[in-house]
Amino acid sequence: MGEITSTSATEPGWPSVSVVMPARDEEAHLRHAVERVLADTYDGELEMVVVVGPSRDRTQALAEELAREYPQVRVIKNPSGRTPQAMNLGIAATTHPIVVRVDAHGFLPDGYVARSVELLRETGAANVGGQMVPKGVTPLGRAIARAMSSRLGIGSAPFHVGGEAGPTESVYLGVFRREALEEVGGFDEHFIRAQDWELNYRIRAAGHTVWFSPDLRVIYRPRSRYRALAKQFFGSGRWRREIIAHYPSSVSARYLAPPLAVIAVVLGTTAALVGVAFGLEWLRWAAVFPIGYLLFTVLASIAQIPHLALNALVRFPGVLIVMQMLWGAGFLLGPSRARFTRRRARAEALAQAQRPHAVPDEAAPQQKSPVPTPEARAD
């Protein structure tokens, strides 16, 4: 991507930055993601921790190879393999006053860190971030990327579809003041998905600002198989249901539309089939719901003609159906309470076991100062 213009990236006294990157089964993208961070034009001190979960590919070996090549990079293990645990382990293993979250399948543009630090200073926010920009490399990947950039596919949040700079509910990734993370207790390891939104909710509830900037556009590699896409969106729907259970005020029409569509399609299809089987004319009219949904999908796909090549366009209707129906089904089913209890117990045990650097409060390093200005650091 193009370089982000920074008005003062060469000024002295930039605060030190800790970059935390969770990684699991990311052999295909890890090297490029790490090297994009290290190539960033930031003049302050920068350290990077890659937190590796149990992987079925060469992620661990590749991370260790990168650590040998680049002195800024360290590798630590995340036995649970889950993102919130990875972030907490990475944050605890670093000390700098600014914490940058980066995904192993997300690629930072030049100037991202410097511009983010400027925004922290200019806005007084506790967290700043921008937009996820999906870029597929296969026909299916490009169809998924287009759907993930659409209000029909993934909702209207600015970090998905763009918008004006300003305070917001959540952002993609995030560049945090460490003091704010410590104040709210870091990531809640209960939330396997939607942990970013949940953390930003607590940051806002504590009286801080989460700031969206359209300048900060990060390339994201979406799933490239229907099965992986279905698993992703089914899990996202389930965990959004859990978020709403914890924070009822967060419910909105955009979260209710997919589960209502699932109900209408399933009940409409079932009723129409019963009507056909038993000769009940009035029940056959229920077919209007699944037929209407399919018509909506076709019209939404026709609107993508200017944006997609034919080999991606023909895949778009299936992508849209998978995203909406699986998200809605996940939301309706919700997570299992028993599984939640077991997972939380395991997560807490693992987190405790994997924090040998955890020390009593009086001995713990303190990072409570705000982001210093160049003038303040020069003093």
Side-chain angles (χ1 to χ4, degrees), residues 43 62 94 117 134 145 149 153 249 258 270 290 356 358 373:
D43 288 342
L62 181 55
T94 59
V117 171
S149 303
S249 63
T270 302
T373 63

Side-chain angles (χ1 to χ4, degrees), residues 261-280:
V262 170
I263 291 171
V265 169
V266 171
L267 292 183
T269 302
T270 302
L273 291 174
V274 169
V276 170
F278 293 94
L280 302 174

Side-chain angles (χ1 to χ4, degrees), residues 123-127 167-169 177 179-184 199-211:
T123 65
N127 180 23
T168 189
E169 285 187 351
R177 298 175 188 263
E179 59 180 358
L181 288 174
E182 292 177 347
E183 179 184 344
V184 301
L199 172 63
N200 284 314
Y201 182 95
R202 286 184 286 119
I203 288 174
R204 291 184 291 110
H208 302 294
T209 298
V210 177
W211 188 269

Side-chain angles (χ1 to χ4, degrees), residues 353-365:
Q354 292 299 315
R355 291 192 179 114
H357 47 272
V359 291
D361 291 344
E362 61 270 16

Side-chain angles (χ1 to χ4, degrees), residues 46-300:
L46 184 146
E47 64 174 345
M48 184 173 189
V49 175
V50 181
V51 191
V52 181
S55 300
R56 295 165 292 182
D57 60 13
R58 294 187 60 257
T59 298
Q60 180 72 41
L62 181 55
E64 292 170 355
E65 180 182 306
L66 288 163
R68 290 191 294 270
E69 292 180 28
Y70 300 103
Q72 307 100 309
V73 177
R74 287 185 289 140
V75 179
I76 62 176
K77 291 185 178 181
N78 172 28
S80 76
R82 300 188 182 105
T83 300
Q85 285 88 340
M87 286 303 303
N88 284 340
L89 287 168
I91 292 166
T94 59
T95 59
H96 293 332
I98 308 297
V99 176
V100 178
R101 175 181 170 172
V102 182
D103 283 347
H105 46 265
F107 310 133
L108 300 187
D110 293 338
Y112 177 90
V113 175
R115 182 57 185 147
S116 297
V117 171
E118 285 181 335
L119 286 168
L120 287 174
R121 291 169 173 163
E122 293 168 5
T123 65
N127 180 23
V128 302
Q131 183 179 348
M132 178 178 72
V133 183
K135 296 286 186 182
V137 295
T138 65
L140 178 57
R142 288 190 285 273
I144 292 172
R146 181 62 190 171
M148 293 186 72
S149 303
S150 165
R151 286 176 168 81
L152 295 177
I154 206 165
S156 57
F159 70 90
H160 284 307
V161 299
E164 298 294 325
T168 189
E169 285 187 351
S170 191
V171 292
Y172 181 52
L173 302 177
V175 178
F176 303 85
R177 298 175 188 263
R178 180 180 294 270
E179 59 180 358
L181 288 174
E182 292 177 347
E183 179 184 344
V184 301
F187 286 80
D188 188 332
E189 296 178 1
H190 171 64
F191 291 96
I192 297 174
R193 301 281 185 92
Q195 65 275 154
D196 292 326
W197 189 97
E198 194 277 338
L199 172 63
N200 284 314
Y201 182 95
R202 286 184 286 119
I203 288 174
R204 291 184 291 110
H208 302 294
T209 298
V210 177
W211 188 269
F212 170 79
S213 172
D215 295 344
L216 306 176
R217 293 167 55 83
V218 181
I219 290 178
Y220 167 86
R221 291 288 183 230
R223 305 312 195 259
S224 57
R225 296 179 181 178
Y226 282 113
R227 182 177 179 179
L229 180 69
K231 182 179 179 181
Q232 177 189 11
F233 273 77
F234 183 77
S236 295
R238 295 184 80 174
W239 284 93
R240 177 53 59 179
R241 170 79 171 271
E242 180 65 8
I243 286 284
I244 290 174
H246 278 70
Y247 306 107
S249 63
S250 69
V251 68
S252 70
R254 73 174 185 266
Y255 297 139
L256 298 180
L260 289 176
V262 170
I263 291 171
V265 169
V266 171
L267 292 183
T269 302
T270 302
L273 291 174
V274 169
V276 170
F278 293 94
L280 302 174
E281 186 70 28
W282 62 277
L283 274 181
R284 295 179 187 180
W285 284 99
V288 70
F289 293 106
I291 292 172
Y293 178 73
L294 289 175
L295 180 60
F296 157 80
T297 302
V298 169
L299 292 175

